Amino acid sequence: MRLLYLSNDYTPHDHRFLSALAGTEHEVFYARLQRGPRQTEDRPVPAGIEQVRWAGGGKPFTWGDLPRLTLGLRQVIRRVQPDLVHAGPIQTCGLLATLAGFRPRLVMSWGFDLMEDCERNAWWRNVTRFTLQRATFFTSDSQVTRERAVLFGMDPGRTVVFPWGVDLEHYAPSSVVRRSSSFTLFCNRSWEPRYGVDLLARAFVQVARQRDDVHLLLLGDGSQAGAIRKILGGVSERVTFAGHIAQAHLPRFYHMADLYLSPAHIDGSSVSLLEAMACGLPCLVSDIPTNREWINAGENGWLFPDGDVEALTARIVQAVDQRKNLRRLGQAARRIAEARADWKKNFATLLETYERTVSLHA
């Protein structure tokens, strides 16, 4: 099969999809819609993947680019002659593939496109509906995004859900038992409003006033960097700002922690949450629909009401006080990851979906 993979940018998620596709018998072409202001992946495009030179991929996307990029994508399709276009997120790449007129199209949600972007305004709602009603097939990584797609007109019989999952060999519990009197909280969500790291910063300030044995390990960066560092200024000696860490080294940081936190307001099946679970970490996350698909309170972690600093503070203190139970919760998290978040197994679902999508157009 000749496959055209159309994505917004080049991220660690794209690298993972393309790496897996490079190991298949398919002939894969990769078209990048834009080059955004923040690059999160520095590894080259995997060998065996042909990156398409076209009208897109050189600068941030704007709606004014839509006519030019639509014509450019039509030219790419004429040149590549794909059997299938795999496009996502919905309102950019999915829309472009729809306007280009090629079928069959597999539209893939990236989570935020159906949890946030689809409700920005009437334009985004209409674009979402237009794209999904015309898609050949749809895939997402959570039940809640599938349900949203159906509400926007996607045929429920032409949908499949598969969590993107993680490499369970790379992300695995450490064989070294941590022996430390301090308690380390870990968060590696981007410092953007939708991920709520500023909320965690405010909660940690309160925790630090109550406990002198708690440390915060923060990875990443983002547009809220100044505000977050200001919030944590009075307790900065209790915070490690580690910046961006290469994927190859991430497990070591999970192993340094006692508890993983994600205060995201909007999310799909968070890959970083699945990485933490695979590493045997209990997780404290916001009580939003996609997190409830993975975290069972008291079994493999805890939930706290989204946006509630006081509740998050209380849950952190509770976890510190119950540290003797963390090993049991972490083991349960690993078992759930093994059962449902195995990238190698879940990727096979995508390949099956390609076959189903093509067969619908035969």
Side-chain angles (χ1 to χ4, degrees), residues 61 72 91 115 128 152 155 190 207 212 236 240 265 275-276 327:
F61 169 79
Q91 299 90 354
M115 300 306 296
T128 304
F152 275 95
D155 180 350
S190 295
V207 171
D212 59 8
S236 58
T240 298
H265 307 300
E275 290 170 352
R327 180 176 174 81

Side-chain angles (χ1 to χ4, degrees), residues 20 25-26 46 61 100 120 131 161 169 213 263 282 323 336 342 344:
E25 61 185 9
H26 301 310
F61 169 79
R120 285 189 181 189
T131 302
V161 172
E169 295 178 4
D213 57 346
R323 67 176 71 191
I336 293 172
D342 186 338
K344 292 179 181 178

Side-chain angles (χ1 to χ4, degrees), residues 17-66:
F17 273 96
L18 293 170
S19 294
L21 288 169
T24 70
E25 61 185 9
H26 301 310
E27 191 175 358
V28 182
F29 300 82
Y30 162 49
R32 173 179 182 168
L33 174 63
Q34 67 169 347
R35 180 175 294 275
R38 294 179 60 249
Q39 297 302 298
T40 58
E41 179 55 70
D42 56 6
R43 291 172 290 185
V45 173
I49 303 296
E50 183 173 335
Q51 186 166 359
V52 175
R53 293 178 179 270
W54 74 299
K59 65 182 183 66
F61 169 79
T62 67
W63 291 114
D65 297 326
L66 202 56

